[in-house]
Amino acid sequence: MNKTGKKEPVWGPFLHLLRVTKLPYVWILVYTLFGLFQSQLNLMFPDYSQKITAGDVSTPTLAVMFAVVIGSSLLEGAINAVSGVTIAKISLRFRESVWGRVLRLPVSYYDSHMPRELINRVTEDTTLLSDNLARIPNSIVSCVYSLAGTFFMLFSYHKTLVVAELVIIPLLVGCTVLSGRLQFLRSDKIQARAAQLTGFIAEVLLHIPLVKSFVREDYEDKRGSGWIEELFKTRFKWTMFGSLGVTLSNSLSLVNTLLCVAAGAYLTARGEITLDIWLAFYLYSQGLMRTLGRLGGVWSSLKGIQGAARRIAEIAGEPFEKYEGSAGVPQSGLQVKDVTFRYQDRDVLDHISMDIPRGKITALVGPSGSGKSTLLRLLERFYQPTGGEIAAAGEDIGRFDLTAWRKSIGYVAQDTLLFSGTIRENILYGQGREVSEAELQAAADAACVTEFVQNLEHGYDTQVGEGGGKLSGGQRQRLGIARAILRNPSLLLLDEVTANLDAQAEDQVNRAIQNISKGRTVVSVAHRLDNIRSADQIVVLEDGQVRGAGVHEDLMENCPLYRRMVEAQRQDRFEKAEV
């Protein structure tokens, strides 16, 4: 259900995803044809068994019977092989398609969807869908063919035999519908619990140093056991409910067998059919039950994957970021014109305006929550302003090609994000071109990376660990700066890059920033005001509004908020010096 109380569409967006996903249709067709051939062999077996029982032991009859038996065995192996390849290829294409869509969703989507949820969709949900998408077309085609062939043969033997089967079919259909509903609920509940357990485990393992620091192993052990037990209870409960459908199906199969025996015995006693026809009728009847059971399995599978399809459909239905636009990004300053930005029912920016001159350093300062980092995210086009516009050369930046715009920006965050891999790989990340060793070395020198890399045994091929955990905060920041230097951006965004560093690391990073800032348009968010005194322009923000703008000396005289901030930091340094 959505917020309006209406059911969310499931199959429409999901079918759209199927259309845009390059599924291995040739393999699906081959798999389906093999299933069709197998159904034909299964239909031939009772017929030729009847002929042999009736006394036809001619060479052609025995040869066909032998071919049916051997062919069924060989075809079963071939079907298993083709099935494995088909499922693997569907899973490959599905995951590629879903992963590609996840990467192109806007940043705002991730504000309301936890990464662990998306991990589960890319892995578990796609696996469930892939297994069934391969088998469902095969099952439907072969089952329909088997049903048609079975009833044709039964009609050719005796109409009363068909009536006996028609008595049980409506009951089987009702049982199938019930089983499908139970399967949907079971799958949906279990998948939800499994996703919650995965999220819990991922979160705890990500914060394992915190767990150990506060000696919370026993506490997290109990919490984990609770989640594991919840998954067990959910699986147990819905497995029991699901077994009701199996029990009903088995009971109906038994009733069908009794009807088959009773009808056959009655008709044989009356002389209306012979014993060999009765045998063929019994074999076809059992095959019919298997076919109907298989169709029921298709229905149950469709209901079982409905939850996964709904979750995948949510991604398929989300709009991508808008990448298209004007190809050329102007080399100019920026104008923030009466910009407002509302996030989760709160005005983060409230009608702010400022000029960001080209080739100059503009520093953003203010209390926490004043909107400084938010403005950087608007410049990066992670979000769109609620009102007003940000312009370059008089044109809204939202009209420029998104890829070209972001390639013109170098962004260094408060905590530089690194991937598992080497120092070299992380510096080169996102460059999109061949980088010579000389370029790499020049960027490393400018970012003061060489100072610590030359002391490492493996140099630039040193593994940084998950999230850069093997490096210090200052070293990670300098790698981020080197990465930005290689990009040669016209606009540089710095988001409190020295906030969490000690004095020595801060000095090294500041030197790297000075090197990269020359000749570029820089927008720097700073907490330590000493670092931005020499900025060409300082903009003071509070509660999402501009409280003052100018150079340090002017703001000390004309902006009470800025003056209080400077004096507070000066007092803080004085007290620390006394200690």
Side-chain angles (χ1 to χ4, degrees):
M1 294 285 185
N2 58 21
K3 294 179 180 179
T4 64
K6 296 181 180 179
K7 286 187 175 181
E8 294 280 7
V10 175
W11 297 112
F14 179 68
L15 292 175
H16 171 71
L17 180 63
L18 288 183
R19 287 194 295 271
V20 300
T21 301
K22 297 179 180 178
L23 295 178
Y25 292 108
V26 173
W27 281 95
I28 294 175
L29 178 61
V30 171
Y31 182 36
T32 302
L33 289 176
F34 274 25
L36 201 59
F37 294 152
Q38 187 181 46
S39 297
Q40 177 59 39
L41 293 178
N42 291 338
L43 287 172
M44 294 173 67
F45 182 79
D47 188 40
Y48 277 84
S49 295
Q50 179 266 323
K51 290 180 180 180
I52 293 173
T53 305
D56 183 1
V57 290
S58 62
T59 300
T61 300
L62 294 176
V64 172
M65 189 64 170
F66 179 79
V68 167
V69 173
I70 298 299
S72 295
S73 177
L74 295 175
L75 191 58
E76 185 69 30
I79 286 175
N80 287 334
V82 173
S83 170
V85 173
T86 305
I87 291 172
K89 285 183 172 290
I90 291 176
S91 181
L92 170 68
R93 303 286 173 78
F94 233 132
R95 283 180 175 154
E96 287 178 341
S97 179
V98 174
W99 177 238
R101 298 185 75 87
V102 166
L103 289 175
R104 287 163 179 79
L105 294 173
V107 173
S108 57
Y109 180 84
Y110 296 90
D111 294 336
S112 56
H113 295 80
M114 299 296 288
R116 55 180 176 264
E117 296 177 9
L118 298 176
I119 291 172
N120 200 62
R121 294 180 189 184
V122 174
T123 55
E124 298 299 325
D125 287 344
T126 53
T127 297
L128 182 62
L129 290 170
S130 301
D131 290 347
N132 286 281
L133 282 175
R135 295 191 175 100
I136 287 174
N138 173 294
S139 297
I140 291 176
V141 172
S142 58
C143 285
V144 170
Y145 183 81
S146 294
L147 283 175
T150 297
F151 278 108
F152 176 80
M153 295 303 297
L154 290 178
F155 265 114
S156 69
Y157 292 146
H158 201 287
K159 292 182 180 179
T160 304
L161 301 180
V162 179
V163 174
E165 293 301 322
L166 291 177
V167 170
I168 204 71
I169 286 179
L171 298 176
L172 276 172
V173 171
C175 179
T176 297
V177 172
L178 174 62
S179 297
R181 180 61 183 172
L182 291 174
Q183 177 66 16
F184 164 68
L185 293 173
R186 175 181 180 274
S187 177
D188 198 44
K189 299 292 185 183
I190 291 175
Q191 286 287 325
R193 287 295 187 193
Q196 290 171 341
L197 175 61
T198 301
F200 166 78
I201 293 173
E203 186 174 43
V204 171
L205 293 180
L206 183 64
H207 297 93
I208 200 68
L210 178 65
V211 174
K212 292 185 175 295
S213 296
F214 285 85
V215 197
R216 301 297 282 171
E217 289 93 339
D218 291 341
Y219 172 73
E220 296 300 346
D221 188 7
K222 290 179 181 178
R223 282 215 302 159
S225 296
W227 283 112
I228 293 170
E229 188 174 345
E230 285 296 323
L231 176 60
F232 166 76
K233 289 179 178 178
T234 301
R235 189 183 295 275
F236 181 82
K237 171 185 174 182
W238 288 102
T239 298
M240 290 298 100
F241 279 129
S243 67
L244 292 176
V246 176
T247 302
L248 285 173
S249 296
N250 291 338
S251 299
L252 289 173
S253 294
L254 178 60
V255 171
N256 176 74
T257 301
L258 294 175
L259 280 175
C260 175
V261 172
Y266 174 76
L267 294 174
T268 302
R270 288 172 57 87
E272 296 186 28
I273 62 172
T274 58
L275 185 62
D276 56 293
I277 296 295
W278 186 15
L279 172 63
F281 165 57
Y282 177 78
L283 292 176
Y284 275 120
S285 174
Q286 295 304 302
L288 180 64
M289 289 299 101
R290 288 194 296 272
T291 299
L292 289 173
R294 197 174 168 198
L295 273 177
V298 171
W299 172 251
S300 296
S301 295
L302 282 171
K303 299 301 291 183
I305 67 174
Q306 189 172 342
R310 184 188 66 241
R311 292 186 289 271
I312 295 295
E314 289 175 4
I315 296 177
E318 287 290 330
F320 287 167
E321 287 186 295
K322 182 182 178 182
Y323 285 84
E324 300 78 12
S326 304
V329 176
Q331 302 294 314
S332 67
L334 300 171
Q335 299 81 44
V336 179
K337 302 178 179 179
D338 196 32
V339 166
T340 61
F341 181 70
R342 189 172 182 81
Y343 181 75
Q344 295 183 348
D345 300 325
R346 186 174 75 89
D347 290 325
V348 182
L349 297 176
D350 185 12
H351 298 281
I352 68 168
S353 298
M354 69 181 74
D355 285 331
I356 301 174
R358 178 186 178 187
K360 303 293 184 181
I361 298 176
T362 296
L364 304 178
V365 301
S368 297
S370 59
K372 306 182 297 295
S373 296
T374 298
L375 181 56
L376 293 192
R377 290 180 173 87
L378 294 181
L379 292 173
E380 188 84 57
R381 288 173 62 185
F382 288 159
Y383 302 92
Q384 300 300 318
T386 306
E389 68 172 13
I390 301 175
E395 187 171 358
D396 192 325
I397 62 173
R399 298 174 185 168
F400 298 118
D401 178 83
L402 184 58
T403 300
W405 176 259
R406 288 182 178 161
K407 283 184 176 181
S408 71
I409 296 174
Y411 178 75
V412 184
Q414 180 175 341
D415 295 305
T416 293
L417 301 177
L418 300 180
F419 286 104
S420 299
T422 65
I423 290 176
R424 181 189 306 275
E425 290 168 344
N426 275 281
I427 293 177
L428 297 178
Y429 182 78
Q431 301 305 322
R433 61 183 180 87
E434 290 294 327
V435 177
S436 67
E437 194 67 23
E439 286 182 282
L440 175 65
Q441 190 60 56
D445 290 342
C448 303
V449 170
T450 310
E451 297 177 8
F452 74 87
V453 169
Q454 63 187 5
N455 295 322
L456 300 174
E457 180 181 355
H458 300 292
Y460 290 102
D461 295 319
T462 300
Q463 294 288 328
V464 303
E466 185 175 355
K470 293 183 178 181
L471 302 179
S472 69
Q475 290 170 338
R476 290 195 297 270
Q477 291 299 76
R478 282 179 276 171
L479 286 189
I481 293 171
R483 181 193 295 164
I485 291 174
L486 272 182
R487 200 164 194 174
N488 192 27
S490 58
L491 174 61
L492 182 63
L493 305 179
L494 306 174
D495 194 358
E496 298 196 74
V497 294
T498 63
N500 299 323
L501 304 180
D502 57 37
Q504 182 179 1
E506 181 179 4
D507 178 65
Q508 293 167 334
V509 170
N510 279 332
R511 285 192 287 119
I513 291 174
Q514 290 174 3
N515 292 334
I516 191 177
S517 298
K518 295 174 182 177
R520 290 187 171 89
T521 303
V522 179
V523 181
S524 174
V525 172
H527 174 70
R528 295 175 182 171
L529 302 180
D530 285 345
N531 294 335
I532 51 89
R533 286 194 177 192
S534 60
D536 299 292
Q537 176 183 226
I538 302 172
V539 179
V540 184
L541 296 175
E542 183 184 32
D543 296 331
Q545 296 181 329
V546 176
R547 300 301 187 190
V551 296
H552 171 75
E553 292 77 12
D554 293 340
L555 290 173
M556 286 295 292
E557 182 177 347
N558 301 319
C559 183
L561 174 60
Y562 181 79
R563 185 166 56 251
R564 288 197 303 269
M565 292 171 61
V566 172
E567 291 172 350
Q569 290 192 8
R570 185 182 299 159
Q571 180 65 26
D572 183 57
R573 288 196 307 272
F574 177 74
E575 291 175 355
K576 289 181 179 179
E578 283 189 331
V579 174

